[in-house]
Amino acid sequence: MNMKPIHIIGGGLAGSEAAWQAAEAGVPVILHEMRPVRGTEAHKTEGLAELVCSNSFRSDDAQNNAVGLLHAEMRLAGSLIMASGDANQVPAGGALAVDRDGFSAAVTARLEAHPLITIVREEVSGLPPADWDKAIIATGPLTAPSLAEAIAAETGADALAFFDAIAPIIHFDSIDMDICWFQSRYDKVGPGGTGKDYINCPMDKAQYEAFVGALIEGQKTEFKEWEGTPYFDGCLPIEVMSERGPETLRHGPMKPMGLTNAHNPTVKAYAVVQLRQDNALGTLYNMVGFQTKLKHAEQVRIFRTIPGLENAEFARLGGLHRNTYINSPTLLDGSLQLKSRPGLRFAGQITGCEGYVESAAIGLLAGRFAAAECLGKAADLPPSTTAFGALLGHITGGHIVSDDEPGKRSFQPMNINFGLFPPAEAPKVEGKRLRGKEKTHAKRRAITARALADCRSWLGLPAMKQAAE
Ligand SMILES: Cc1cc2nc3c(=O)[nH]c(=O)nc-3n(C[C@H](O)[C@H](O)[C@H](O)COP(=O)(O)OP(=O)(O)OC[C@H]3O[C@@H](n4cnc5c(N)ncnc54)[C@H](O)[C@@H]3O)c2cc1C
């Protein structure tokens, strides 16, 4: 056993899973966790994989829900986080919710008991030293400041964000294109465009005034005291802009200039909401300039009053949070390795995924990739059709760089959702043409069936018989 260990920094959701996967593959691991020597603003215990807020892993429905599918794939891959969650489940309908203390205690006990894992309670305050051949940084949204500074120095300060300012993202197939139309402002083609790169939602004066009123009245979430108030010009929440005066939005992100309604060319829109393609697949569009701290239910209620978005399905709702994440699509290679420093990987929320389950899933992949290399093999990437592959694709390259706002980061954290998967056709049902929601659900079931089959094949597991799945 002369193999050098993989050093994993951070024993949260991602680091714990990465340590387990690497050790189960036969590679020694040293897991460095700073609690209880040093705490974070949100963690309350010294347990590994502490859940800092809700106790839910969200939907456990692997057939119809993207995070439920991710659960299923993680279980297939022998996930410690899922096994500990399943063993500590509390009643929560279709969701998987856990007893948070029992869950964290189970993860801690199994990692402590593993013969190939050593847990060191210390803060790592700089980048891994040169003699750590393989390392994974999994220090999460509340990475200790000295390590965050070292990461910024290595990657460039612009590549590390301390807040996310998130605009909602909508599934393309839920947008009413009989009301909206494709057009770039002034038909500008730009370096990578076609002149028809945006989806435009028109508003008349009465609709605009009602909309601005709803934004001002809508319920907002508050910042926690330790988060500070991270407003900066160019990134103001839409409701803060609307409070500055009734015309502010019409002269900002909702300006109607340079746009002609393809369905009604003679009538000039009073204001326009623009949506920009968000992923290379063209299945997701983000609401340009609509970063917001409105409560999620309020966002759905208010944004569905926008013409053309009455039935909008949101892949992600907007928010402004304290976070720490790197600009992964430019910095990391396809196996989560820092391009400028081979052998050093990132995992968890710091890579730009969002949520407990997603963070653990990226930890699972990073642990496997690093272990494979220690064993003299190449990192085996999951197919893009799986939830693992879809999430990895978002992190390492699926986003669209904005041509019209040069230099502006377009990569934003994201939960797993069906818009990240390559589309799948709904199976034909004899004598019946599927429409609307029924068709959407059938397409989703086709995506999840394909994903589970491809995941099994990627993991070298025998295929399931159709009926049993
Ligand atoms: C306030 C808050 C609330 C959230 N609520 C939810 C929620 O309800 N549901 C949800 O799905 N997601 C939530 N998230 C998002 C996110 O998914 C979780 O934070 C998740 O825990 C991220 O997993 P991780 O492993 O990347 O980071 P973490 O679980 O935070 O693990 C990182 C670990 O690294 C340690 N660490 C940090 N710096 C160092 C260092 N320099 N040296 C050694 N150790 C270090 C930390 O102590 C921590 O244990 C929330 C995030 C925040 C900040």
Side-chain angles (χ1 to χ4, degrees):
M1 270 291 298
N2 286 329
M3 201 184 296
K4 285 185 97 174
I6 300 172
H7 290 264
I8 299 177
I9 310 173
L13 277 294
S16 297
E17 185 66 61
W20 181 257
Q21 293 289 328
E24 285 289 277
V27 178
V29 170
I30 300 180
L31 178 60
H32 306 257
E33 167 52 53
M34 69 178 182
R35 290 175 293 119
V37 180
R38 182 190 177 118
T40 78
E41 298 89 338
H43 289 85
K44 305 248 179 321
T45 75
E46 58 186 69
L48 300 176
E50 177 180 337
L51 304 178
V52 289
C53 188
S54 133
N55 66 332
S56 174
F57 287 2
R58 318 199 312 278
S59 171
D60 200 30
D61 178 352
Q63 269 202 317
N64 299 293
N65 186 286
V67 79
L69 172 65
L70 191 56
H71 292 173
E73 291 188 10
M74 290 173 72
R75 288 183 182 115
L76 288 177
S79 160
L80 171 66
I81 293 299
M82 290 311 300
S84 307
D86 289 337
N88 288 281
Q89 195 167 354
V90 296
L96 171 59
V98 306
D99 172 320
R100 68 179 70 242
D101 294 330
F103 165 75
S104 170
V107 173
T108 307
R110 290 192 71 186
L111 291 174
E112 282 176 347
H114 201 293
L116 289 180
I117 298 177
T118 307
I119 301 170
V120 183
R121 299 286 184 161
E122 66 177 9
E123 177 184 357
V124 176
S125 50
L127 286 184
D131 63 336
W132 293 8
D133 287 355
K134 296 267 179 278
I136 300 174
I137 296 181
T139 44
L142 304 172
T143 294
S146 51
L147 179 57
E149 276 168 34
I151 295 169
E154 171 75 20
T155 59
D158 285 355
L160 185 72
F162 291 99
F163 282 93
D164 43 36
I166 294 177
I169 293 184
I170 298 175
H171 289 275
F172 172 69
D173 58 8
S174 69
I175 300 168
D176 187 347
M177 294 307 293
D178 289 336
I179 296 177
C180 308
W181 75 99
F182 278 108
Q183 186 186 9
S184 304
R185 210 179 285 285
Y186 299 109
D187 302 308
K188 274 192 191 152
V189 176
T194 63
K196 292 184 190 284
D197 298 331
Y198 290 79
I199 292 177
N200 300 283
C201 313
M203 276 189 190
D204 63 25
K205 188 164 190 280
Q207 287 166 330
Y208 173 79
E209 286 171 354
F211 182 70
V212 170
L215 290 177
I216 293 171
E217 294 299 315
Q219 290 179 28
K220 325 299 183 289
T221 50
E222 300 300 328
F223 284 111
K224 297 186 179 64
E225 204 178 309
W226 51 265
E227 288 187 299
T229 304
Y231 296 156
F232 46 95
D233 275 345
C235 200
L236 284 177
I238 192 90
E239 62 277 4
V240 172
M241 266 191 267
S242 64
E243 280 163 6
R244 292 188 169 179
E247 290 292 291
T248 308
L249 289 179
R250 236 168 64 76
H251 294 282
M254 291 179 67
K255 61 177 175 279
M257 269 77 82
L259 296 167
T260 306
N261 187 342
H263 305 294
N264 202 356
T266 55
V267 177
K268 184 88 194 148
Y270 190 73
V272 171
V273 174
Q274 285 203 303
L275 311 178
R276 181 170 50 219
Q277 190 175 331
D278 195 81
N279 64 341
L281 294 170
T283 50
L284 299 174
Y285 276 75
N286 65 59
M287 300 179 72
V288 180
F290 268 61
Q291 51 276 357
T292 177
K293 274 203 73 85
L294 283 167
K295 289 194 167 165
H296 281 180
E298 290 287 78
Q299 291 184 42
V300 174
R301 178 179 70 80
I302 296 169
F303 297 155
R304 281 191 182 154
T305 66
I306 296 170
L309 303 188
E310 293 83 352
N311 297 309
E313 292 290 337
F314 293 88
R316 182 186 76 188
L317 287 158
L320 268 90
H321 309 107
R322 172 73 175 83
N323 200 354
T324 310
Y325 68 101
I326 57 172
N327 194 8
S328 295
T330 57
L331 296 174
L332 303 185
D333 71 9
S335 75
L336 299 164
Q337 198 162 213
L338 196 63
K339 289 177 192 162
S340 64
R341 212 177 138 176
L344 176 58
R345 288 188 158 78
F346 283 80
Q349 181 130 333
I350 198 167
T351 64
C353 61
E354 175 86 31
Y356 301 145
V357 182
E358 289 85 342
S359 296
I362 294 303
L364 183 150
L365 293 178
R368 283 180 165 245
F369 296 158
E373 284 174 1
C374 288
L375 296 167
K377 299 184 243 170
D380 183 16
L381 306 188
S384 62
T385 48
T386 60
F388 282 135
L391 193 57
L392 186 65
H394 163 66
I395 290 168
T396 61
H399 80 307
I400 296 284
V401 177
S402 167
D403 291 325
D404 52 342
E405 295 162 276
K408 193 164 172 163
R409 302 164 57 98
S410 59
F411 177 62
Q412 289 288 347
M414 179 103 97
N415 289 118
I416 185 77
N417 66 79
F418 283 116
L420 298 178
F421 292 74
E425 281 310 310
K428 297 239 174 338
V429 182
E430 216 166 300
K432 194 176 171 200
R433 213 170 143 187
L434 296 180
R435 290 176 188 281
K437 285 224 154 86
E438 221 184 351
K439 189 171 175 188
T440 307
H441 290 149
K443 278 188 182 176
R444 289 183 180 173
R445 281 195 296 275
I447 289 177
T448 56
R450 179 183 66 184
L452 284 174
D454 289 355
C455 185
R456 294 186 80 89
S457 153
W458 173 63
L459 291 167
L461 300 170
M464 288 283 279
K465 291 216 172 68
Q466 203 69 20
E469 274 179 6

PDB file of all heavy atoms in Angstrom, residues 190-205:
ATOM      1  N   GLY A 190     -24.216  40.194 -34.248  1.00  0.00           N
ATOM      2  CA  GLY A 190     -23.141  39.970 -33.273  1.00  0.00           C
ATOM      3  C   GLY A 190     -22.237  38.831 -33.708  1.00  0.00           C
ATOM      4  O   GLY A 190     -22.458  38.221 -34.752  1.00  0.00           O
ATOM      5  N   PRO A 191     -21.222  38.531 -32.896  1.00  0.00           N
ATOM      6  CA  PRO A 191     -20.247  37.517 -33.301  1.00  0.00           C
ATOM      7  C   PRO A 191     -20.818  36.103 -33.432  1.00  0.00           C
ATOM      8  O   PRO A 191     -20.480  35.367 -34.340  1.00  0.00           O
ATOM      9  CB  PRO A 191     -19.182  37.544 -32.206  1.00  0.00           C
ATOM     10  CG  PRO A 191     -19.632  38.526 -31.185  1.00  0.00           C
ATOM     11  CD  PRO A 191     -20.897  39.185 -31.633  1.00  0.00           C
ATOM     12  N   GLY A 192     -21.730  35.730 -32.537  1.00  0.00           N
ATOM     13  CA  GLY A 192     -22.182  34.329 -32.609  1.00  0.00           C
ATOM     14  C   GLY A 192     -23.665  34.203 -32.839  1.00  0.00           C
ATOM     15  O   GLY A 192     -24.229  33.122 -32.668  1.00  0.00           O
ATOM     16  N   GLY A 193     -24.341  35.316 -33.207  1.00  0.00           N
ATOM     17  CA  GLY A 193     -25.798  35.274 -33.246  1.00  0.00           C
ATOM     18  C   GLY A 193     -26.375  35.185 -34.642  1.00  0.00           C
ATOM     19  O   GLY A 193     -25.659  35.087 -35.637  1.00  0.00           O
ATOM     20  N   THR A 194     -27.711  35.255 -34.686  1.00  0.00           N
ATOM     21  CA  THR A 194     -28.407  35.146 -35.972  1.00  0.00           C
ATOM     22  C   THR A 194     -29.279  36.369 -36.235  1.00  0.00           C
ATOM     23  O   THR A 194     -29.885  36.480 -37.288  1.00  0.00           O
ATOM     24  CB  THR A 194     -29.358  33.937 -35.949  1.00  0.00           C
ATOM     25  OG1 THR A 194     -30.356  34.186 -34.933  1.00  0.00           O
ATOM     26  CG2 THR A 194     -28.640  32.643 -35.643  1.00  0.00           C
ATOM     27  N   GLY A 195     -29.376  37.288 -35.259  1.00  0.00           N
ATOM     28  CA  GLY A 195     -30.318  38.400 -35.366  1.00  0.00           C
ATOM     29  C   GLY A 195     -31.667  38.039 -34.770  1.00  0.00           C
ATOM     30  O   GLY A 195     -32.556  38.870 -34.632  1.00  0.00           O
ATOM     31  N   LYS A 196     -31.821  36.778 -34.408  1.00  0.00           N
ATOM     32  CA  LYS A 196     -33.085  36.320 -33.800  1.00  0.00           C
ATOM     33  C   LYS A 196     -32.758  35.502 -32.555  1.00  0.00           C
ATOM     34  O   LYS A 196     -33.232  34.373 -32.381  1.00  0.00           O
ATOM     35  CB  LYS A 196     -33.867  35.446 -34.792  1.00  0.00           C
ATOM     36  CG  LYS A 196     -34.396  36.188 -35.990  1.00  0.00           C
ATOM     37  CD  LYS A 196     -35.220  35.228 -36.838  1.00  0.00           C
ATOM     38  CE  LYS A 196     -35.596  35.788 -38.165  1.00  0.00           C
ATOM     39  NZ  LYS A 196     -36.605  36.717 -38.292  1.00  0.00           N
ATOM     40  N   ASP A 197     -31.923  36.076 -31.703  1.00  0.00           N
ATOM     41  CA  ASP A 197     -31.398  35.279 -30.586  1.00  0.00           C
ATOM     42  C   ASP A 197     -32.246  35.361 -29.326  1.00  0.00           C
ATOM     43  O   ASP A 197     -32.064  34.545 -28.429  1.00  0.00           O
ATOM     44  CB  ASP A 197     -29.974  35.731 -30.251  1.00  0.00           C
ATOM     45  CG  ASP A 197     -29.045  35.514 -31.423  1.00  0.00           C
ATOM     46  OD1 ASP A 197     -29.305  34.587 -32.207  1.00  0.00           O
ATOM     47  OD2 ASP A 197     -28.091  36.291 -31.572  1.00  0.00           O
ATOM     48  N   TYR A 198     -33.125  36.357 -29.225  1.00  0.00           N
ATOM     49  CA  TYR A 198     -33.901  36.534 -28.003  1.00  0.00           C
ATOM     50  C   TYR A 198     -35.358  36.177 -28.239  1.00  0.00           C
ATOM     51  O   TYR A 198     -35.873  36.357 -29.339  1.00  0.00           O
ATOM     52  CB  TYR A 198     -33.827  37.996 -27.531  1.00  0.00           C
ATOM     53  CG  TYR A 198     -32.474  38.372 -27.002  1.00  0.00           C
ATOM     54  CD1 TYR A 198     -31.430  38.660 -27.874  1.00  0.00           C
ATOM     55  CD2 TYR A 198     -32.224  38.412 -25.636  1.00  0.00           C
ATOM     56  CE1 TYR A 198     -30.171  38.982 -27.393  1.00  0.00           C
ATOM     57  CE2 TYR A 198     -30.974  38.746 -25.149  1.00  0.00           C
ATOM     58  CZ  TYR A 198     -29.947  39.021 -26.034  1.00  0.00           C
ATOM     59  OH  TYR A 198     -28.714  39.334 -25.539  1.00  0.00           O
ATOM     60  N   ILE A 199     -36.011  35.743 -27.172  1.00  0.00           N
ATOM     61  CA  ILE A 199     -37.466  35.606 -27.217  1.00  0.00           C
ATOM     62  C   ILE A 199     -38.015  36.860 -26.546  1.00  0.00           C
ATOM     63  O   ILE A 199     -37.566  37.245 -25.456  1.00  0.00           O
ATOM     64  CB  ILE A 199     -37.924  34.347 -26.476  1.00  0.00           C
ATOM     65  CG1 ILE A 199     -37.452  33.111 -27.234  1.00  0.00           C
ATOM     66  CG2 ILE A 199     -39.442  34.330 -26.311  1.00  0.00           C
ATOM     67  CD1 ILE A 199     -37.795  31.799 -26.554  1.00  0.00           C
ATOM     68  N   ASN A 200     -38.964  37.523 -27.203  1.00  0.00           N
ATOM     69  CA  ASN A 200     -39.497  38.794 -26.701  1.00  0.00           C
ATOM     70  C   ASN A 200     -40.953  38.639 -26.288  1.00  0.00           C
ATOM     71  O   ASN A 200     -41.755  38.062 -27.028  1.00  0.00           O
ATOM     72  CB  ASN A 200     -39.386  39.848 -27.810  1.00  0.00           C
ATOM     73  CG  ASN A 200     -37.929  40.041 -28.211  1.00  0.00           C
ATOM     74  OD1 ASN A 200     -37.185  40.692 -27.502  1.00  0.00           O
ATOM     75  ND2 ASN A 200     -37.535  39.444 -29.321  1.00  0.00           N
ATOM     76  N   CYS A 201     -41.260  39.164 -25.091  1.00  0.00           N
ATOM     77  CA  CYS A 201     -42.624  39.101 -24.564  1.00  0.00           C
ATOM     78  C   CYS A 201     -43.150  40.545 -24.485  1.00  0.00           C
ATOM     79  O   CYS A 201     -42.607  41.343 -23.711  1.00  0.00           O
ATOM     80  CB  CYS A 201     -42.652  38.484 -23.175  1.00  0.00           C
ATOM     81  SG  CYS A 201     -41.700  36.964 -23.014  1.00  0.00           S
ATOM     82  N   PRO A 202     -44.168  40.896 -25.273  1.00  0.00           N
ATOM     83  CA  PRO A 202     -44.609  42.292 -25.343  1.00  0.00           C
ATOM     84  C   PRO A 202     -45.603  42.655 -24.239  1.00  0.00           C
ATOM     85  O   PRO A 202     -46.406  41.829 -23.821  1.00  0.00           O
ATOM     86  CB  PRO A 202     -45.321  42.346 -26.699  1.00  0.00           C
ATOM     87  CG  PRO A 202     -45.897  40.970 -26.841  1.00  0.00           C
ATOM     88  CD  PRO A 202     -44.969  40.018 -26.133  1.00  0.00           C
ATOM     89  N   MET A 203     -45.548  43.903 -23.784  1.00  0.00           N
ATOM     90  CA  MET A 203     -46.531  44.396 -22.810  1.00  0.00           C
ATOM     91  C   MET A 203     -47.088  45.721 -23.282  1.00  0.00           C
ATOM     92  O   MET A 203     -46.334  46.562 -23.798  1.00  0.00           O
ATOM     93  CB  MET A 203     -45.855  44.656 -21.460  1.00  0.00           C
ATOM     94  CG  MET A 203     -45.726  43.448 -20.599  1.00  0.00           C
ATOM     95  SD  MET A 203     -45.156  43.969 -18.974  1.00  0.00           S
ATOM     96  CE  MET A 203     -44.799  42.396 -18.279  1.00  0.00           C
ATOM     97  N   ASP A 204     -48.411  45.936 -23.072  1.00  0.00           N
ATOM     98  CA  ASP A 204     -48.954  47.265 -23.317  1.00  0.00           C
ATOM     99  C   ASP A 204     -48.838  48.073 -22.017  1.00  0.00           C
ATOM    100  O   ASP A 204     -48.357  47.571 -20.990  1.00  0.00           O
ATOM    101  CB  ASP A 204     -50.388  47.183 -23.871  1.00  0.00           C
ATOM    102  CG  ASP A 204     -51.359  46.545 -22.889  1.00  0.00           C
ATOM    103  OD1 ASP A 204     -51.095  46.596 -21.671  1.00  0.00           O
ATOM    104  OD2 ASP A 204     -52.397  46.007 -23.343  1.00  0.00           O
ATOM    105  N   LYS A 205     -49.300  49.344 -22.064  1.00  0.00           N
ATOM    106  CA  LYS A 205     -49.069  50.251 -20.927  1.00  0.00           C
ATOM    107  C   LYS A 205     -49.736  49.721 -19.654  1.00  0.00           C
ATOM    108  O   LYS A 205     -49.124  49.682 -18.581  1.00  0.00           O
ATOM    109  CB  LYS A 205     -49.629  51.633 -21.293  1.00  0.00           C
ATOM    110  CG  LYS A 205     -49.311  52.733 -20.306  1.00  0.00           C
ATOM    111  CD  LYS A 205     -49.555  54.101 -20.961  1.00  0.00           C
ATOM    112  CE  LYS A 205     -49.036  55.236 -20.136  1.00  0.00           C
ATOM    113  NZ  LYS A 205     -49.864  55.661 -19.051  1.00  0.00           N
TER     114      LYS A 205
END
